[in-house]
Amino acid sequence: MGEIKPLRLALTKGRLEKQCRRLLSESGYNCSALDNPGRRLIHALPHLSKQLSPLEGILAKAPDVITYIEHGVCDIGVAGKDTIIEQGGSFYEMLDLKLGVCRFALATPGGQDFFGGMDTKCVATKYPNVARRFLGSNPARIIKIEGSVELAPLLGLADAIIDIVETGDTLRANGLVPIQDIHTISARVIVNVAAWKLRRNEIESFLDEVKKAVG
Ligand code: PRP
């Protein structure tokens, strides 16, 4: 009998990485290859019971996780709901891992009013699509910033930010106050559309193991 073809899994680097690895280990996958990855980019993650298809894990930035899933070069991905909402795309969102829970919020210096007054306001954000959707018909300008969005109002570039708030420490440290919550965010499992048709049983087994670990 031939070897079972691994399912290829794309994990998001950074914030979610450690928690996802823990969850995979609790689901019975041997994640030791991820402990000291060196310069290798694809890692074998066998299931301890050998009953389930092994995984081939890659670590990527969240937008790339979605790109790999959409193009079908990875079967299963883990990405934050923030990136999923911002980037969109064709894939199935199968499971809320309840990891990396945070929220999108609108925040202003000292909690100043954002919606009052006649002047056109400016919002800085890493998530322009989320901001545009949230603002609706409000004519506010949106400026895309790649990191440390909190700087924009401090520098006088923007009246407000739309960003991820987890502990709220970054906002507090910079005199910003959330004035409206926009969306709750957490890590989600996404699946390539064709893979779901062709390898559904294997993917379902993977999801079942992970669901048990999520509790
Ligand atoms: C995120 C987010 C906030 C901060 C919120 O940034 O953009 O800056 O975390 O977390 P807190 O509420 O716990 O303080 P990240 O650390 O991902 O880095 P970046 O700003 O460089 O993108």
Side-chain angles (χ1 to χ4, degrees):
M1 225 171 67
E3 290 267 295
I4 308 173
K5 186 181 163 207
L7 286 169
R8 198 171 276 162
L9 170 75
L11 296 174
T12 297
K13 278 182 188 175
R15 251 170 213 263
L16 291 175
E17 193 179 320
K18 234 190 184 159
Q19 299 174 69
C20 284
R21 274 169 53 184
R22 196 176 318 129
L23 191 68
L24 282 177
S25 300
E26 286 166 11
S27 308
Y29 291 94
N30 177 352
C31 296
S32 56
L34 294 172
D35 292 340
N36 294 300
R39 306 295 290 177
R40 279 186 75 96
L41 297 171
I42 300 184
H43 310 279
L45 312 174
H47 195 266
L48 300 174
S49 77
K50 310 266 188 239
Q51 303 294 315
L52 272 74
S53 299
L55 301 176
E56 210 167 56
I58 67 152
L59 289 168
K61 291 195 170 185
D64 295 342
V65 168
I66 292 178
T67 302
Y68 294 145
I69 294 298
E70 275 208 280
H71 286 267
V73 293
C74 291
D75 305 298
I76 308 171
V78 177
K81 185 70 179 173
D82 53 328
T83 312
I84 293 174
I85 299 174
E86 176 65 19
Q87 194 162 321
S90 313
F91 47 78
Y92 297 128
E93 188 181 314
M94 305 299 294
L95 184 61
D96 182 350
L97 294 179
K98 311 217 164 69
L99 301 176
V101 178
C102 52
R103 66 193 204 271
F104 274 131
L106 174 74
T108 58
Q112 277 164 26
D113 180 27
F114 177 80
F115 295 101
M118 298 299 287
D119 54 328
T120 302
K121 300 286 199 317
C122 177
V123 177
T125 186
K126 276 182 270 187
Y127 302 91
N129 294 328
V130 171
R132 182 45 60 221
R133 230 173 290 149
F134 168 70
L135 290 165
S137 58
N138 186 302
R141 274 193 314 131
I142 295 168
I143 295 183
K144 173 134 198 251
I145 299 287
E146 294 295 339
S148 299
V149 177
E150 295 83 359
L151 256 178
L154 301 183
L155 297 176
L157 179 66
D159 303 288
I161 64 168
I162 287 178
D163 198 18
I164 288 172
V165 181
E166 191 174 359
T167 60
D169 288 348
T170 314
L171 291 183
R172 271 189 294 281
N174 293 291
L176 297 166
V177 176
I179 57 168
Q180 195 165 328
D181 287 348
I182 298 173
H183 208 293
T184 305
I185 293 163
S186 56
R188 308 295 163 97
V189 175
I190 58 175
V191 171
N192 170 263
V193 173
W196 182 243
K197 284 205 183 82
L198 299 171
R199 305 188 67 183
R200 183 165 176 162
N201 289 343
E202 294 164 86
I203 295 173
E204 274 182 341
S205 301
F206 165 84
L207 291 170
D208 286 344
E209 290 306 299
V210 173
K211 269 183 212 158
K212 277 188 233 157
V214 171

